[in-house]
């Protein structure tokens, strides 16, 4: 079974609709992230959470909100979807480890949700 | 402002030869760098990383080189195999801040 799962995998919706994307993880990590990927722009951070009570905005949080329901669950909501939110959305988790080489904070990604807003 | 740049959107390499993917950064506070590999319809997967206290890190066929003075890192894949065909993302972070800043990606195609 996958360590980081995302639902739905694909979603087509209309402008103005409310959409929720869900992420679950079995890795036991405290840290969770939401990214979007657009062609030519790489991955950009939307929101991140270092534990259940800690939610932080990323570089492109406008138009989005999140909820950390439990250590294992982190949901992303689009309150009123618009066409320029059409993108590939990824959830990720991490658990930083301090090594002799410094802080390791590799992130583990889910398979992504392809969202199309018409 | 793109703090992590991958200036080559695509790269084609013959099977068995060396693939070199490049990444430049502008933020001198970055001190930890990662490479991720992404296949279609999948999430990115961690490949290799390097801390700023090193200038080279090797893992099997993959080697990452870091030139701090030039703010440049590169990923070498030797020998290249067809399964290496994917999009490669460079990412960077600042010690104590676990957010990653990603580059725009390079699509690597290995020609059999």
């Amino acid at each position: 079974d996958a360590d980081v799962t995302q639902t739905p995998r694909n979603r087509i919706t209309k402008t103005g609709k409310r959409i929720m994307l869900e992420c679950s993880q079995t890795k036991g990590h405290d840290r969770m992230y939401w990214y979007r990927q657009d062609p030519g722009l790489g991955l950009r951070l939307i929101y991140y959470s270092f534990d259940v009570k800690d939610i932080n905005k990323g570089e492109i949080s406008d138009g989005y909100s999140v909820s950390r329901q439990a250590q294992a669950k982190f949901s992303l909501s689009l309150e009123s979807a618009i066409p320029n939110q059409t993108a590939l959305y990824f959830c990720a988790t991490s658990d930083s480890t301090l090594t002799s080489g410094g802080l390791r904070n590799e992130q583990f990604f889910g398979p992504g949700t392809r969202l199309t807003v018409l | 402002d793109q703090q992590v740049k991958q200036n080559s959107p695509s790269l084609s390499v013959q099977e068995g030869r060396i693939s070199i993917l490049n990444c430049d950064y502008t933020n001198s506070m970055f001190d930890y760098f990662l490479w991720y590999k992404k296949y279609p319809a999948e999430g990115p997967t961690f490949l290799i990383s390097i801390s700023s206290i090193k200038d080279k890190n090797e893992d099997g066929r993959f080697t990452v080189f870091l030139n701090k003075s030039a703010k440049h890192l590169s990923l070498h894949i030797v020998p290249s195999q067809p399964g290496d065909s994917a999009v490669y993302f460079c990412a960077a972070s600042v010690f104590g801040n676990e957010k990653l800043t990603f580059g725009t990606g390079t699509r690597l195609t290995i020609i059999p």
Side-chain angles (χ1 to χ4, degrees):
Chain A
D1 287 341
D3 294 320
V4 184
T5 57
Q6 292 184 233
T7 55
R9 292 295 312 276
N10 288 283
R11 182 71 183 267
I12 299 174
T13 190
K14 294 182 178 180
T15 297
K17 294 292 188 182
R18 184 178 188 276
I19 292 294
M20 179 180 284
L21 308 183
E22 300 191 0
C23 176
S24 295
Q25 52 115 346
T26 58
K27 298 188 77 68
H29 290 167
D30 286 327
R31 296 158 175 83
M32 298 188 74
Y33 310 80
W34 274 105
Y35 292 90
R36 66 177 276 177
Q37 183 190 1
D38 298 276
L41 292 178
L43 283 83
R44 293 182 293 166
L45 184 63
I46 306 172
Y47 268 96
Y48 61 104
S49 169
F50 285 171
D51 64 42
V52 175
K53 296 180 181 179
D54 179 69
I55 303 288
N56 303 280
K57 292 182 177 181
E59 59 181 303
I60 53 163
S61 59
D62 286 349
Y64 301 95
S65 62
V66 291
S67 172
R68 185 80 185 265
Q69 301 94 323
Q71 185 204 39
K73 296 185 181 297
F74 192 34
S75 301
L76 176 73
S77 294
L78 287 69
E79 297 301 325
S80 179
I82 56 177
N84 77 0
Q85 291 178 312
T86 293
L88 197 50
Y89 290 84
F90 290 103
C91 173
T93 74
S94 73
D95 191 13
S96 293
T97 304
L98 188 60
T99 69
S100 58
L103 190 69
R104 287 176 54 101
N105 59 342
E106 60 184 85
Q107 295 179 12
F108 299 86
F109 286 79
T113 295
R114 183 168 296 281
L115 177 67
T116 303
V117 183
L118 302 176
Chain B
D1 176 29
Q2 192 74 31
Q3 297 186 66
V4 179
K5 302 176 184 178
Q6 294 176 256
N7 292 318
S8 298
S10 63
L11 176 68
S12 294
V13 174
Q14 207 78 30
E15 182 179 358
R17 304 295 290 269
I18 182 171
S19 295
I20 301 176
L21 294 91
N22 293 303
C23 179
D24 297 295
Y25 61 96
T26 57
N27 187 344
S28 58
M29 298 296 289
F30 286 146
D31 59 1
Y32 184 65
F33 304 89
L34 308 88
W35 285 94
Y36 281 82
K37 177 179 180 179
K38 185 184 178 305
Y39 292 120
E42 295 183 12
T45 55
F46 171 75
L47 192 56
I48 192 170
S49 64
I50 189 167
S51 163
S52 62
I53 65 173
K54 297 184 176 181
D55 54 18
K56 176 183 174 181
N57 190 26
E58 201 168 349
D59 184 1
R61 296 186 298 114
F62 302 92
T63 302
V64 56
F65 295 92
L66 176 62
N67 182 333
K68 291 185 286 295
S69 60
K71 296 191 179 67
H72 176 83
L73 64 156
S74 60
L75 174 68
H76 292 210
I77 306 174
V78 182
S80 299
Q81 299 175 353
D84 296 329
S85 294
V87 176
Y88 289 79
F89 291 99
C90 169
S93 70
V94 176
F95 182 83
N97 184 337
E98 297 175 42
K99 293 188 297 180
L100 295 180
T101 300
F102 283 84
T104 52
T106 297
R107 181 177 301 278
L108 175 65
T109 302
I110 305 302
I111 304 165

